[in-house]
Amino acid sequence: KKFVDAAQFNPKCKGLDLKSYLVKPLQRITKYTLLLRELIKHTLEDHPDYADLNLAMNKINEVNKTINEKMKTFDQRQKVRDIAARFTTNIDLVAPARYFIKEGKLTKICRKKDIAYIFLLF
């Protein structure tokens, strides 16, 4: 924690925190997609590099798809951790195959008083 805080104020880091540097490689991959798309658009189909550019574009698209899937999985698991932290007792909700799906309120109508419940679907 001390190192991360000290590094953020280091002039060489330009005021960026660790998260900013960790996301840079992911941002670069999306820029590769844009770059390859432009290269393919401006390359003649009979050019020797045209097939390789298309192959590279397909590979980058696969990588982007995998990254997006992994990020979605991470976000779902993080939501489970956040929900577990809301409980006052120590409940271990985190499991490899457990993903958050939906949270909603349900009200049980009673004669004396309606009772509101919060349901979590995993």
Side-chain angles (χ1 to χ4, degrees):
K1 174 94 174 121
K2 288 179 185 179
F3 170 77
V4 172
D5 291 339
Q8 184 175 356
F9 296 109
N10 186 327
K12 292 179 182 177
C13 293
K14 301 176 186 173
L16 297 173
D17 61 348
L18 182 60
K19 257 186 176 176
S20 299
Y21 285 104
L22 292 175
V23 79
K24 284 244 186 242
L26 298 176
Q27 291 172 336
R28 191 165 286 141
I29 289 173
T30 58
K31 289 181 182 179
Y32 290 153
T33 302
L34 299 172
L35 174 67
L36 285 168
R37 186 179 303 136
E38 287 299 309
L39 281 171
I40 290 169
K41 186 166 77 173
H42 296 291
T43 303
L44 298 173
E45 290 185 25
D46 60 347
H47 191 278
D49 294 334
Y50 188 80
D52 289 336
L53 287 171
N54 278 302
L55 179 64
M57 181 66 145
N58 291 334
K59 296 287 185 185
I60 286 293
N61 285 336
E62 287 176 27
V63 169
N64 277 330
K65 183 179 175 185
T66 301
I67 288 171
N68 289 336
E69 290 169 357
K70 297 293 183 185
M71 290 302 293
K72 183 178 177 182
T73 301
F74 174 80
D75 290 341
Q76 289 171 330
R77 288 190 179 173
Q78 184 60 43
K79 182 72 175 168
V80 173
R81 285 186 207 85
D82 294 343
I83 290 169
R86 290 173 20 195
F87 288 92
T88 54
T89 56
N90 190 11
I91 297 175
D92 189 20
L93 294 176
V94 180
R98 183 169 292 149
Y99 299 101
F100 171 78
I101 298 172
K102 187 158 179 81
E103 178 178 352
K105 293 181 181 179
L106 186 67
T107 303
K108 180 180 178 185
I109 309 286
C110 298
R111 289 184 192 153
K112 295 180 182 178
K113 183 179 176 185
D114 295 345
I115 302 171
Y117 293 96
I118 295 176
F119 284 85
L120 300 163
L121 182 61
F122 296 98

